[in-house]
Amino acid sequence: MRAAVVDLGTNTFNLLIAEKKEGKYVEIYRDKCSVKLGKGGLAQNVIASDAYQRALNAIDNYYKQINHYQVKTIKVVATSAFRTTQNGLQLAEEIKHRIGTDVDIIDGDEEAEYIYYGIREAVPLTDKNVLMVDIGGGSNELIIGNKHTITWKKSYKLGISRLIEMFKPNDPLTPSDIKTISEYIRTETSDLTDILYKYPLNTLVGSSGSFDLIANILHYKDHNIPIDLTRTYNVLNVWHFFRLLDTLIISSYEQRQDMPGMDMTRIEMIPIAALFIRTIVENFTCKQVLHSAYAIKEGVWIKNFM
């Protein structure tokens, strides 16, 4: 069966077309579009007019691809920007009209669950728990789980677009920016200390745009070529990973421009994303870092069509 998933994220819209063949998930086509729904309005809980139009343009393009691949079954999910803004429901209704399918505005728990299924499909998890981190524009999902089940999950309203709109940090980040934002993240995730004491672990698995970018930059550093997009997961050098986080946090726009593997659609966001990761991993001793090429869109497809 051939089916499409449209993931309406706060920073990026994603299209995934796949089919089930002989009981296996087989990808046919994927696309992503930087819509930056949070830019210029998220702090006021609205989607700004230019971002609103970028979203509709992306959907029109996706609808053409869906028709091109003759897909009849479509699942559309919308996340943080849609569930927290005054005009998110209105935008969802317009998208429904254009694509001919209901838009499912999912809550944070559903989002975390879908992310888990995507990561589990991509990464060879074991019986041991790992901390899964998915960094989005409006919210960030943290999941503790293994190959069998989710042990704990939570969605935090700490997405990178949201943090940027809230704090309007300098570029490069000043020591005051770093202190203020990291303290805010620690306060908002204060429950993690007890959770990670209850469920001890030493492995971090990251997914979605910011982790994709970090993995790509590291791959360029080690091999001078982009990351292999046919691989569903990558093992990252822990020392290089943390060194890159520290570099990104204090880097200027110009310095990031010169980094091989940089994604220009994320160049403004990546220092805050790196700071979020750095702050989260203070809660445990991280001995292994994995990058999952699959996240929410693959999880939605697998949960609904496998």
Side-chain angles (χ1 to χ4, degrees):
M1 182 186 73
R2 182 174 294 189
V5 166
V6 181
D7 160 32
L8 307 177
T10 301
N11 188 53
T12 306
F13 282 7
N14 290 280
L15 170 64
L16 172 65
I17 299 173
E19 60 188 15
K20 182 178 178 180
K21 282 188 176 180
E22 298 176 354
K24 294 183 179 180
Y25 162 85
V26 179
E27 183 179 310
I28 295 171
Y29 176 83
R30 69 169 57 216
D31 192 14
K32 65 179 179 179
C33 181
S34 177
V35 294
K36 297 185 178 179
L37 283 186
K39 191 170 185 179
L42 204 56
Q44 292 77 42
N45 293 321
V46 296
I47 298 170
S49 58
D50 53 346
Y52 198 105
Q53 189 58 51
R54 286 195 296 272
L56 295 178
N57 292 342
I59 289 302
D60 288 343
N61 289 330
Y62 283 175
Y63 190 56
K64 291 176 185 176
Q65 293 299 326
I66 288 167
N67 286 333
H68 173 74
Y69 285 96
Q70 300 179 326
V71 179
K72 304 300 181 186
T73 304
I74 309 167
K75 174 75 173 176
V76 184
V77 295
T79 57
S80 183
F82 287 84
R83 61 181 179 249
T84 62
T85 56
Q86 298 167 19
N87 55 345
L89 184 58
Q90 176 187 322
L91 177 56
E93 285 297 317
E94 287 207 43
I95 290 172
K96 173 186 175 180
H97 176 73
R98 291 183 182 224
I99 208 167
T101 301
D102 287 341
V103 175
D104 186 6
I105 302 177
I106 60 176
D107 63 27
D109 277 352
E110 290 176 285
E111 190 171 353
E113 184 173 350
Y114 280 136
I115 290 162
Y116 166 76
Y117 281 106
I119 290 175
R120 192 175 73 172
E121 182 72 15
V123 179
L125 300 176
T126 68
D127 294 333
K128 294 183 178 180
N129 281 331
V130 301
L131 177 63
M132 306 172 200
V133 178
D134 185 280
I135 299 178
S139 65
N140 297 336
E141 281 64 47
L142 274 62
I143 306 119
I144 296 175
N146 52 48
K147 70 177 183 179
H148 304 293
T149 189
I150 297 171
T151 303
W152 172 89
K153 64 181 184 296
K154 187 169 180 179
S155 178
Y156 294 90
K157 287 176 64 176
L158 296 170
I160 308 309
S161 295
R162 195 177 297 278
L163 291 175
I164 289 173
E165 289 293 310
M166 182 183 299
F167 291 100
K168 301 192 183 307
N170 296 281
D171 193 319
L173 297 176
T174 65
S176 177
D177 290 329
I178 295 169
K179 181 174 185 292
T180 301
I181 296 170
S182 60
E183 285 182 352
Y184 179 76
I185 294 168
R186 288 189 193 100
T187 299
E188 294 298 304
T189 60
S190 59
D191 54 341
L192 268 182
T193 303
D194 290 339
I195 292 296
L196 289 169
Y197 180 79
K198 184 177 180 180
Y199 305 111
L201 48 82
N202 59 23
T203 299
L204 176 71
V205 181
S207 64
S208 291
S210 295
F211 258 93
D212 293 341
L213 176 53
I214 288 168
N216 198 43
I217 294 172
L218 288 174
H219 203 267
Y220 262 102
K221 282 181 176 293
D222 291 340
H223 307 287
N224 203 33
I225 55 173
I227 201 164
D228 183 357
L229 296 177
T230 65
R231 294 178 60 88
T232 61
Y233 79 99
N234 298 276
V235 180
L236 306 184
N237 180 293
V238 176
W239 189 81
H240 290 172
F241 174 76
F242 284 112
R243 186 177 178 184
L244 176 59
L245 292 183
D246 292 339
T247 298
L248 289 169
I249 289 167
I250 62 172
S251 66
S252 68
Y253 187 96
E254 291 74 19
Q255 289 169 329
R256 296 193 298 279
Q257 274 184 313
D258 293 334
M259 289 183 181
M262 178 57 64
D263 178 352
M264 296 304 294
T265 67
R266 297 186 180 276
I267 192 168
E268 296 175 350
M269 298 177 144
I270 195 63
I272 303 296
L275 181 59
F276 178 84
I277 299 165
R278 237 334 183 169
T279 306
I280 291 300
V281 296
E282 291 174 356
N283 290 280
F284 69 104
T285 301
C286 183
K287 295 182 179 179
Q288 185 178 38
V289 180
L290 304 176
H291 159 248
S292 171
Y294 292 178
I296 183 172
K297 59 187 178 297
E298 291 85 4
V300 171
W301 204 100
I302 288 158
K303 190 81 186 322
N304 285 277
F305 304 120
M306 285 294 286

